[in-house]
Amino acid sequence: VFKIYSFESQFELRTLDSEGILFFGDKEGESNWFLLALRKCYLEIQFPNDHSQTAITGGPVISDGGWKQISIANLNSTIIVTVIKEEVIKTHQPVENGDVMGSGVLRIGIGGLFPNSSLKLTLNPPLDGCLRNWDWVRQDTPVLNRFIESSESQRCWKSVVPGSYFSGHGAAQFESHLLIDNSSMEETENWSLTMELSLRPVAANGVLLAVLDFRNNYSFSIALDDTQQAFILTFAGKDLRSLRFPPDLCSGEFQAQQLILANKQLVFKSLDDEIISNVADDFEALQAVWDQPGTTVYLGGLPDGGPAAGNSYYHGCMRVKIQGNHVDVDTAKNKHSGIQSHSCPADLQ
């Protein structure tokens, strides 16, 4: 229990993520709380009211990858948010719904809600971003400082570019129906599947993408194999022809690969090279897998290592599109803590 003399907090933020929680605080449980978040690249505040909750959005675009100085204060029940010292949100918060001053235990969460929270929000809580020069309600935060200093995954990179960073220690798991509108695919007589992978590998090995049915049988996978210097494709448990790496795969520049399943053929393209495989015997089986509940897509590795590419995880940056739609790694059902959803270090060395 301590005396809260100020509700003013300030920090500098750099992010390429369009949505997520920056700052969450509550006192006396979730009946008295306050939220600062991003939605569609803009700042948003939320707090409870007599019936549900109030949400107000405003200010400049935040999610452009540049550093922004943000401050928030509650002065006589008036909430003021500034960006680079310019007031962007100002609103009244009724005292009975927001008396955070005075004695009590104030909990502060950075970058998400507290574990087991029952609060219902209409946004995706995880936020991929970097903070510096923070000051939370004018209180010392030695625990947070020590945690960040001791955790390599929590440190800021010098500069970032768009993409998802995989540390080589884990994968992201997705439910296939969230990535693909199966209902519209079923209505299409000539079923097809297109995937685009843009890569900046640190090391030329590891599983890039894999699809498993509800029984955890492998439908297909794409992996890097440093020994063979090739992309390795498996389909319905069978190894297909491999495709040699471009000579500058690990040059530090993004390089695009494309996989197309259509007309009972699998086409895999990398720069000016491609392979075409006849998969007529298994094509309908793969279509059925995509339509099944429980089908899972993995990026950056396989569950428990798996059999492909020497049980290794991918290390590097990746951008993924499925059926032409960007895959938001924040929508993963499960994601290893070493994966950054929206930012990659500009220098991977």
Side-chain angles (χ1 to χ4, degrees):
V1 180
F2 55 87
K3 186 76 172 179
I4 303 171
Y5 294 99
S6 172
F7 190 62
E8 183 178 358
S9 295
Q10 62 184 20
F11 53 87
E12 293 179 50
L13 169 71
R14 183 188 68 194
T15 185
L16 291 162
D17 196 344
S18 63
E19 181 173 291
I21 293 175
L22 286 166
F23 171 96
F24 178 80
D26 69 12
K27 199 179 75 171
E28 303 165 357
E30 293 184 345
S31 62
N32 186 355
W33 56 270
F34 179 84
L35 174 74
L36 178 66
L38 290 180
R39 185 190 298 274
K40 296 182 179 179
C41 303
Y42 295 93
L43 289 173
E44 178 173 286
I45 61 171
Q46 294 188 28
F47 52 86
N49 58 37
D50 291 337
H51 305 289
S52 57
Q53 55 203 57
T54 299
I56 302 172
T57 303
V61 170
I62 300 297
S63 308
D64 59 3
W67 286 103
K68 304 289 189 299
Q69 184 186 58
I70 300 170
S71 68
I72 181 166
N74 187 328
L75 304 174
N76 299 320
S77 298
T78 298
I79 298 173
I80 300 173
V81 180
T82 66
V83 176
I84 316 177
K85 299 183 178 181
E86 180 179 349
E87 185 178 294
V88 296
I89 297 176
K90 183 176 182 179
T91 187
H92 177 70
Q93 183 181 23
V95 174
E96 60 269 20
N97 293 327
D99 183 17
V100 295
M101 306 299 284
S103 297
V105 177
L106 174 66
R107 300 192 303 170
I108 295 175
I110 310 300
L113 297 175
F114 299 118
N116 304 317
S117 173
S118 61
L119 197 63
K120 303 299 182 184
L121 300 174
T122 58
L123 56 78
N124 195 17
L127 180 73
D128 176 10
C130 190
L131 296 175
R132 69 184 184 188
N133 299 329
W134 57 75
D135 185 355
W136 307 112
V137 293
R138 301 302 185 190
Q139 299 289 329
D140 291 333
T141 55
V143 175
L144 176 62
N145 297 343
R146 287 196 299 269
F147 172 71
I148 291 178
E149 289 173 359
S150 64
S151 174
E152 183 176 349
S153 65
Q154 300 296 325
R155 297 173 188 168
C156 292
W157 292 310
K158 183 177 180 180
S159 57
V160 294
V161 296
S164 298
Y165 174 72
F166 293 77
S167 64
H169 300 293
Q173 176 192 8
F174 299 83
E175 297 176 354
S176 66
H177 72 274
L178 297 178
L179 299 178
I180 298 176
D181 185 356
N182 288 334
S183 61
S184 63
M185 293 176 72
E186 289 172 1
E187 296 170 359
T188 304
E189 182 178 352
N190 298 318
W191 184 85
S192 64
L193 180 66
T194 301
M195 299 184 178
E196 299 173 46
L197 307 174
S198 188
L199 309 175
R200 284 178 65 211
V202 174
N205 61 281
V207 176
L208 300 173
L209 181 146
V211 180
L212 282 67
D213 67 16
F214 71 99
R215 295 190 180 93
N216 282 336
N217 296 317
Y218 293 89
S219 294
F220 74 87
S221 66
I222 308 171
L224 303 176
D225 190 318
D226 193 26
T227 302
Q228 299 186 47
Q229 289 289 292
F231 294 97
I232 307 297
L233 282 75
T234 61
F235 191 89
K238 305 169 187 175
D239 289 337
L240 301 180
R241 293 166 52 199
S242 59
L243 182 67
R244 294 282 295 179
F245 290 155
D248 56 350
L249 180 66
C250 296
S251 66
E253 300 295 327
F254 275 102
Q255 297 191 29
Q257 333 297 322
Q258 184 179 53
L259 181 143
I260 302 172
L261 280 162
N263 302 319
K264 299 185 178 182
Q265 287 187 327
L266 183 151
V267 180
F268 185 71
K269 302 178 181 180
S270 177
L271 296 181
D272 297 327
D273 203 0
E274 69 176 37
I275 56 172
I276 301 175
S277 298
N278 188 329
V279 293
D281 294 341
D282 301 300
F283 188 82
E284 292 183 0
L286 176 65
Q287 180 180 358
V289 166
W290 278 111
D291 295 340
Q292 288 175 352
T295 295
T296 308
V297 178
Y298 286 87
L299 294 180
L302 291 170
D304 300 321
N311 300 342
S312 61
Y313 292 111
Y314 172 69
H315 184 195
C317 293
M318 181 161 41
R319 302 169 185 160
V320 182
K321 288 184 178 180
I322 297 181
Q323 301 296 72
N325 297 317
H326 170 72
V327 175
D328 184 349
V329 178
D330 273 342
T331 63
K333 181 180 179 181
N334 294 296
K335 183 184 69 172
H336 188 269
S337 61
I339 298 174
Q340 303 294 324
S341 299
H342 296 274
S343 58
C344 295
D347 184 2
L348 281 173
Q349 301 304 319

